[in-house]
Amino acid sequence: MNLTLKVWRQKNAKEAGNLVSYKVQDISEDMSFLEMFDVLNEQLINKGEEPIAFDHDCREGICGMCSMFINGQPHGPLRGVTTCQLHMRSFKDGDTIVVEPWRAKAFPVVKDLVVDRSSFDRIIASGGFISVNAGNAQDANNIPIPKPDADKAFDAAACIGCGACVATCKNSSAMLFVSAKVSQLALLPQGKIEASARVMEMVAQMDKEGFGNCSNTGACEIECPKGISLENIARMNREFYVAKLK
Amino acid sequence: MSKIDSKIPEGQLEEKWSKYKSTVPLVNPANKRSIEIIVVGSGLAGASAASTLAELGYKVKCFCFQDSPRRAHSIAAQGGINAAKNYQNDGDSTFRLFYDTVKGGDYRAREANVYRLAEVSSNIIDQCVAQGVPLAREYGGLLSNRSFGGTQVQRTFYAAGQTGQQLLLGAYSALERQIGLGNVQMFSRHEMLEVVKIDGKARGIIARDLISGKLERHFGHAVLICSGGYGNVFYLSTNAMGSNATAAWKAHKQGAFFGNPCFTQIHPTCIPVSGDHQSKLTLMSESLRNDGRIWVPKQKDDKRKGNEIPEEERDYYLERRYPAFGNLVPRDVASRAAKERCDAGFGVGASKMAVYLDFAAAIERYGKQQILKLGIDNASAAEIRKHGMDVVKEKYGNLFDMYKQITGENPYDMPMRIYPAVHYTMGGLWVDYNLMTSVPGLYALGEANFSDHGANRLGASALMQGLADGYFVIPYTIGAYLSAEIRVKAIPTDHEAFVAAEKKVQDTITKFFAIKGTHSVDHFHKKLGKIMWDKCGMARNEKGLKEAIQEIRQLREEFWKDVRVTGGPDELNPELEKAGRVADFLELGELMCIDALQRNESCGGHFREESQTEDGEAKRDDNKYAFVAAWEFKETGSFELHKEELNFDVVHPSQRSYK
Ligand SMILES: Cc1cc2nc3c(=O)[nH]c(=O)nc-3n(C[C@H](O)[C@H](O)[C@H](O)COP(=O)(O)OP(=O)(O)OC[C@H]3O[C@@H](n4cnc5c(N)ncnc54)[C@H](O)[C@@H]3O)c2cc1C
Ligand code: SF4
Ligand code: FES
């Protein structure tokens, strides 16, 4: 198939950017969206132009690095997939596709489609852990954990830190991401000890990074490639109020 | 005297590590605070080492090229992690895990290291659970296990099909905690491009800030290379796009020997290549072989669809050749058998380079079980199928979805097409018992070292090794070196060695832009990959390897004359990053072929066509090749071989047989 792409080009964080049109030909429907970008970049290189910078690494939907805002949706039209797992089957000959970076105050653009998501790391550093040094742990089976709790913790822990939830939110809120980590740890006996301090610290850091407030639109849950549920936000709110009352 | 000293402690196998731990020199807490350690990599090995060393009080700097340490390629591991917990009461023990690993590695690993690995494996699970890693559990609340890779015990711990992700996020949270406490300084989007040596010892690195393009100098009393494997030499592999050999290769060129470079693992169950556009290959977890049956049509060039070929016209070649293990033979055996069938013209799919992995029988078997369980009488075939599909979905749903996403085919109706792909590299920087390379103060951990897996890694053992190295081995063994370094003050980075190293990196970057050639970096990478796959892949022979060496040399020459690197040095420039990595692959690929040529025996993943039994199985030659090949870099294209003899005091080598 032949396609027209309108891609955000921006030299660096300081300069202004704009959408630039490109044409690609003979795109196979078995290609992934990123492989289509490889074809475009090879074209640009052969013409002596600078290829488009975009983030990617594993290309199997697990590292959370890829991050394209495609036709107004993070990771494109399909539910439950990352950009690297989106295949050209989802498009048809003659389509025009607009591709932009994540947009949020806390995710400044670095270049073209690449943004800086280090704010997520700083939120984890503020409390997204259990304080246990290597070498001190007791036998892993000493504390049984009810399977439903363990399963729920796992579902929350499946977050890949991609930031699609922030990108899609009109308030650029990071509630889904933060609540996934808060929930995972709050559901496990090992994590309960620090639960109150954790939620307070992480929420404070989230605010400091410039993420917006949550107004319960639920867009994040719809766009999350890993199906992280809004239940986590409810659980985090509970944890937060409990902590505040302490 | 040989240049190789593996520093294996004296004593009985079972006592070596505990005796070592209680006698190794220590660094006192006050001194730790003034000792700086550089960790290159934030995967399981790097993140666990960096966080643990920081917990102990050292000052740590950690580097990764992704935008966050959480994205290291360990994140992609699916199947699980082994540990000799014996929670299932099925006869597992430290000794059994040790034995399986030495045997699985086809007797090309060091006994003492493997025993230590098996010993600390249990602590890893304890540590991860304490960190909040949500490993799979049973209804009683205890941890669940599965069998993996054909072992006879259930010792694999897992978190659905995302074990690597969960373990890495555990290590990452420990790392972030230390970053928050100010004990680790994290340098994301930084690429290490040179090791700095002063008076023969590793004293730092040169790294490029990938956003600004600036070169930085970093001092460390010791440097740990935890940069992962080099499977991307083949261009197509299951590794992430950015996985590379640069850090390890720079260390090699600074004097660290490279161990067993030709030992690569080709995983049997991956989604086959669909066209020239393909950028990477996707693994379908080994666990699928627990239920799927592998076959090809009996008739060559059969044009019918997989589900239209009747039972009696199918060749279940693994079950036919290896009745004892069937579809569960080790990876190297399964991969070669698939290649053999495809080369003989029985392959399926458009490319004819694929075999079927079929769940129809499993769906029926599970369906019947369910019907019995639910007490349904006179169930129709459709009902049985439906119930069977539900069971298969629960076990493998995420993998089936992934397959459908990539191929556009529904694996519940149509057998999956699979083909082997490059997956893991057993070779890597040679290290002694302390994990130190042949350069004092320079260490290698995780997949980057030549590892405990010999010539073939067993499933679920890489995660175990990465975390063992980082959480439980290096924190002790590094003391042996650092306790003698406490008087060394931080060396200012205007030292001439730093200046010279930075200049070397700068010169290479300048050279890339000066070439202004006509072909992209990927063009060369793909060509290298094809040479490696054809001539140093699943089967190797003298003629092919000799040709490959010549072809790679020529390709390297062309690369340095004709590569086109767009953009500039002072900006985020993925093309420049790739150019540096491919330049190193072009040197490493040659060494892999040289090593494969030298090793005229078949063992594990290394199959020399000259060395096979009458029925086409791999034939080892213990008289001549029971050694680790440790290569010393002389100059580009020239290496000297050192041999570390392997002694088997406990496990006596026998020919592996899965018939
Ligand atoms: C698809 C897949 C599935 C797997 N499944 C399993 C499994 O089920 N069980 C199992 O045991 N094993 C599995 N493995 C193998 C296992 O995942 C890896 O061997 C292991 O995770 C490697 O960990 P590591 O820490 O050594 O390296 P990695 O996780 O690859 O980390 C490398 C780190 O080094 C950094 N780095 C590299 N070069 C540089 C540089 N020059 N400068 C700065 N930083 C650098 C990277 O940024 C990264 O942080 C699987 C592998 C793959 C590919
Ligand atoms: S919650 Fe979902 S969308 Fe948000 S970072 Fe995690 S995986 Fe991405
Ligand atoms: S590239 Fe890793 S999730 Fe898309």
Side-chain angles (χ1 to χ4, degrees), chain B residues 402-421:
Chain B
M402 187 148 84
Y403 181 85
K404 188 164 173 226
Q405 205 60 255
I406 293 174
T407 63
E409 281 176 15
N410 181 355
Y412 291 101
D413 296 335
M414 191 64 89
M416 282 185 186
R417 286 173 296 112
I418 52 156
Y419 198 67

Side-chain angles (χ1 to χ4, degrees), chain A residues 45 60 89 111 121 139, chain B residues 87 172 280 406 564 572:
Chain A
I45 294 169
E60 47 188 72
R89 266 171 241 122
K111 181 177 183 176
D121 289 329
D139 187 273
Chain B
Y87 282 161
Y172 159 79
K280 78 152 283 167
I406 293 174
R564 172 182 286 179
L572 175 64

Side-chain angles (χ1 to χ4, degrees), chain A residues 34 56-66 82 84 160:
Chain A
L34 297 185
H56 66 111
D57 198 26
C58 74
R59 293 204 177 187
E60 47 188 72
I62 192 75
C63 74
M65 189 118 177
C66 61
T82 53
C84 59
I160 57 175

Side-chain angles (χ1 to χ4, degrees), chain A residues 60, chain B residues 40-47 63-66 69 71-82 148 163-164 168 190-193 226-229 238-240 242-247 280 283 331 423-424 445-448 457-464 466:
Chain A
E60 47 188 72
Chain B
V40 179
S42 65
L44 288 180
F63 295 78
C64 74
F65 66 76
Q66 291 92 345
R71 307 204 203 281
H73 191 51
S74 295
I75 201 93
Q78 302 171 348
I81 178 167
N82 287 332
F148 206 73
T163 317
L168 182 62
H190 273 67
E191 183 161 20
M192 175 269 210
L193 293 173
C226 312
S227 54
T238 63
N239 288 6
S243 297
N244 71 91
T246 288
K280 78 152 283 167
L283 177 79
R331 293 176 177 179
H423 178 58
Y424 181 87
L445 283 67
E447 193 174 339
R457 177 174 71 77
L458 292 179
S461 287
L463 302 180
M464 168 174 75

